[in-house]
Amino acid sequence: MDEMDLMKKLSDVPSPSPEAYNRARTALQTAMAEPAEPVGTVVRPKRWFSWPRATVAAVGVAAVAAAVVMATTGGSVPTGPATQAAPPVAPPVVESPLVKLASEVKAAATVQGDSSLVIGTKMPADLPSYTFYSVYTDKGQIFGGDSTKTLAASASKNDDQATPYHAKLMAAAREAANGDLEKARIAMITAAHNVTGLGLSPAEADKAWADAQAKIAEDFRKIGKPAPPARPRPEGKELENFRNNHLWSNATSALFLGAANADIRAGVLKLISTIPDTKVGTTEIDGQRALTISTGPDIQGGDASVVLTINADNGLPILQEIFPAPNSPTPSKPAKVTYKSSRVNLADVVAGKI
Amino acid sequence: MSSDAELIGRSLRGDTDAFVEVISRHETAIGNYLARRVGRQAAEDVLGDVWVAAYESRATYDRSYPEARPWLYGVALNRLRRYWRSEPAEEPAPDLAGVASDWDPWPAVDARVDTQALLRRALARLKPEEREVLGLVAWEDLTVAEAGRVLDIPAGTARRLLHQARKALREAPEVAALLQVPTT
């Protein structure tokens, strides 16, 4: 026996189900019949629900994802008059460490380099660890790879992976850093879609929700599954949690793509500071002073709590941890991702000199 | 029977059924490939994206290759890269530092050790490109040249990466110990 024989012992895994193959074929058939948005623009609110459990084919677009969210989260719907207006932003406390840090990030911004490089490392329990490189240029391009070599190849081929969704994320973060925080908050929450009608008139909000419900029903029908019953638009605290989930998910997505861009980083910190249910603590990690930003299951869809650890002096992300919610019937699995961020020159990325 | 290349050519002329036929030939292999890398649930989530991405990029297929499976592995790998980068980590993730430091190989290994866990530890320390070539050859039964085609690298480079990967595995304490004891 040699190492290759040992390797083969790892080759047996549970295959995708026959239903999954059917769904994948349906996605292909749909794409062939009516070319839709580029796959890269499929965006869903992360951490709010288990995408596989939603059993929607990959043709689903953002609005569908949101509708699935509401179809799966359950819970009572508070009664009372609907309100479509944006709820007032919880004003960042003047002394909020995140707002203070955001100001320091802006003040300390340098012009070094022309791109942000973020290196993340995930390590699933049953699989090898995975390191991924993301470069976000100051011009808005996004290149990626799982090694400096594949990253260089992506950049040299100009394989720009930025989508309109990414552009919206980054614009919202910049607006938060340099402009109107309320406007930025709405833009970040609605970067993927606006099925809850944030900032819309009551009639427009009703239509947005109804359209999303109709779309998800259509997509379920396409894959031969019964459509879930339409749900009323969330209200009250459920609506607030829903929107804060989107704010957290989209803002942290921006951070993990463009952390070494001072505007992006400062804007994300200010945006996160507007989520009332986050808790900021202090810690030390690898000799660095750090802040922990904790969000509970209410913001994370019920199945997990998330703690983001950032450097207390420069705001750069260090660690993201996901903890299963003890009271959830379907708790998320624990997870950990480490991040290292730096300013780089795109030319050096292309040359493999990072 | 038409080759994959011929079917892709027909699909480019509007015969969508021809492309479905290509997918039908390879869907199990690609599905299992995805499952090995991201687990069954995520594989099911990504599979449709792979077919759509393959369909949308079929014009770039080099039809001098009759067999499309290596190309489909490449498309799948690209989707995985985007998946890994964009998705939150929802899978268990042990502390990286712990993996590297807590291994005291020789006295601990006996016939009852968990072969898979030990091998995974060793695999985790390989370079990504080494691991990918190794997986394509060992798990997907591709030739080294085909693995190179998947990764868009020359066959000679793939061969060197496989050599490095196998050498690193052999020399990893966990694997060296496993190769010297009977496993159950």
Side-chain angles (χ1 to χ4, degrees):
Chain A
M1 184 170 67
D2 65 9
E3 66 281 358
M4 296 302 273
D5 298 318
L6 283 177
M7 280 290 291
K8 289 189 186 298
K9 289 179 183 290
L10 285 185
S11 66
D12 291 333
V13 296
S15 298
S17 65
E19 293 79 14
Y21 285 114
N22 288 338
R23 287 198 301 274
R25 284 192 187 202
T26 302
L28 172 63
Q29 299 275 13
T30 304
M32 291 193 298
E34 43 182 71
E37 296 179 60
V39 174
T41 64
V42 176
V43 174
R44 62 258 194 184
K46 296 167 183 170
R47 296 160 212 154
W48 184 263
F49 74 115
S50 168
W51 181 247
R53 280 202 295 274
T55 64
V56 175
V59 293
V61 294
V64 178
V68 175
V69 167
M70 299 318 299
T72 56
T73 49
S76 62
V77 178
T79 57
T83 172
Q84 287 77 40
V89 175
V93 180
V94 174
E95 297 302 324
S96 162
L98 297 184
V99 174
K100 180 172 177 289
L101 180 55
S103 299
E104 292 169 359
V105 168
K106 281 286 293 175
T110 68
V111 293
Q112 185 183 14
D114 58 17
S115 303
S116 161
L117 168 67
V118 180
I119 305 173
T121 300
K122 301 177 183 176
M123 192 161 181
D126 299 333
L127 298 163
S129 65
Y130 185 78
T131 296
F132 51 98
Y133 296 69
S134 299
V135 163
Y136 173 70
T137 72
D138 293 346
K139 294 178 180 174
Q141 303 154 294
I142 294 174
F143 302 108
D146 55 8
S147 66
T148 54
K149 195 173 293 181
T150 54
L151 175 65
S154 169
S156 63
K157 292 177 185 170
N158 197 29
D159 177 27
D160 183 2
Q161 296 170 15
T163 66
Y165 165 71
H166 294 123
K168 289 179 184 176
L169 291 187
M170 299 312 192
R174 286 193 172 89
E175 178 69 25
N178 302 311
D180 182 338
L181 184 56
E182 168 61 9
K183 183 180 169 188
R185 184 173 176 274
I186 293 175
M188 188 61 90
I189 292 172
T190 61
H193 49 68
N194 187 16
V195 295
T196 63
L198 179 58
L200 302 181
S201 70
E204 290 170 331
D206 285 342
K207 183 175 185 312
W209 184 257
D211 287 349
Q213 294 285 299
K215 184 71 173 67
I216 187 174
E218 179 189 342
D219 281 342
F220 269 90
R221 277 193 295 273
K222 279 182 181 175
I223 61 174
K225 289 183 173 294
R231 290 180 59 84
R233 192 152 47 86
E235 297 176 3
K237 185 64 177 173
E238 187 183 8
L239 177 61
E240 182 187 339
N241 288 343
F242 181 90
R243 288 172 171 165
N244 281 330
N245 169 262
H246 284 57
L247 178 56
W248 172 273
S249 178
N250 289 334
T252 53
S253 293
L255 183 68
F256 299 144
L257 273 174
N261 180 306
D263 277 348
I264 302 298
R265 190 161 79 252
V268 167
L269 293 174
K270 290 176 73 174
L271 285 163
I272 290 177
S273 77
T274 69
I275 301 176
D277 297 329
T278 54
K279 293 178 182 173
V280 179
T282 58
T283 187
E284 186 174 305
I285 184 166
D286 295 335
Q288 306 172 68
R289 290 195 319 119
L291 298 179
T292 55
I293 308 169
S294 305
T295 62
D298 286 348
I299 304 298
Q300 300 296 343
D303 293 335
S305 299
V306 176
V307 177
L308 172 64
T309 303
I310 62 174
N311 184 296
D313 296 317
N314 58 29
L316 290 171
I318 300 171
L319 176 66
Q320 181 188 207
E321 295 169 288
I322 297 175
F323 302 96
N327 297 326
S328 166
T330 55
S332 298
K333 294 178 180 175
K336 186 179 287 187
V337 187
T338 59
Y339 296 95
K340 291 180 180 175
S341 314
S342 58
R343 290 291 291 175
V344 295
N345 285 303
L346 186 60
D348 291 335
V349 173
V350 171
K353 295 179 182 175
I354 56 167
Chain B
M1 187 174 71
S2 301
S3 70
D4 293 340
E6 289 166 341
L7 290 172
I8 289 172
R10 276 164 43 191
S11 80
L12 287 167
R13 296 190 292 276
D15 182 354
T16 53
D17 287 345
F19 195 78
V20 174
E21 170 63 19
V22 175
I23 297 308
S24 300
R25 292 176 180 180
H26 305 296
E27 63 182 354
T28 303
I30 300 300
N32 288 338
Y33 168 78
L34 294 170
R36 286 188 192 100
R37 277 153 180 77
V38 291
R40 179 180 178 176
Q41 272 207 327
E44 293 182 351
D45 192 23
V46 171
L47 190 58
D49 284 352
V50 173
W51 297 154
V52 174
Y55 178 73
E56 290 176 343
S57 64
R58 70 197 188 288
T60 64
Y61 182 74
D62 182 347
R63 280 182 275 165
S64 64
Y65 293 102
E67 163 91 38
R69 187 173 296 183
W71 172 69
L72 288 171
Y73 279 125
V75 174
L77 178 59
N78 279 336
R79 296 312 306 171
L80 286 180
R81 285 172 173 154
R82 293 191 183 200
Y83 170 84
W84 274 317
R85 190 168 58 255
S86 63
E87 288 296 298
E90 293 175 340
E91 298 299 323
D95 190 330
L96 278 172
V99 170
S101 64
D102 67 358
W103 177 245
D104 180 14
W106 300 106
V109 176
D110 62 26
R112 295 167 295 175
V113 295
D114 182 340
T115 305
Q116 294 194 347
L118 295 178
L119 190 52
R120 284 194 188 98
R121 288 188 186 194
L123 278 173
R125 295 199 297 270
L126 297 182
K127 294 175 181 172
E129 59 270 28
E130 294 173 348
R131 199 162 52 221
E132 201 59 49
V133 171
L134 183 66
L136 288 167
V137 173
W139 294 339
E140 315 304 333
D141 287 328
L142 296 187
T143 65
V144 176
E146 287 171 332
R149 192 176 147 210
V150 172
L151 301 171
D152 198 20
I153 57 177
T157 304
R159 194 168 294 110
R160 176 176 56 77
L161 291 170
L162 179 64
H163 174 75
Q164 289 172 188
R166 293 188 65 174
K167 182 170 184 288
L169 267 193
R170 275 196 306 273
E171 293 174 355
E174 304 96 318
V175 176
L178 286 169
L179 291 174
Q180 292 191 7
V181 298
T183 56
T184 55

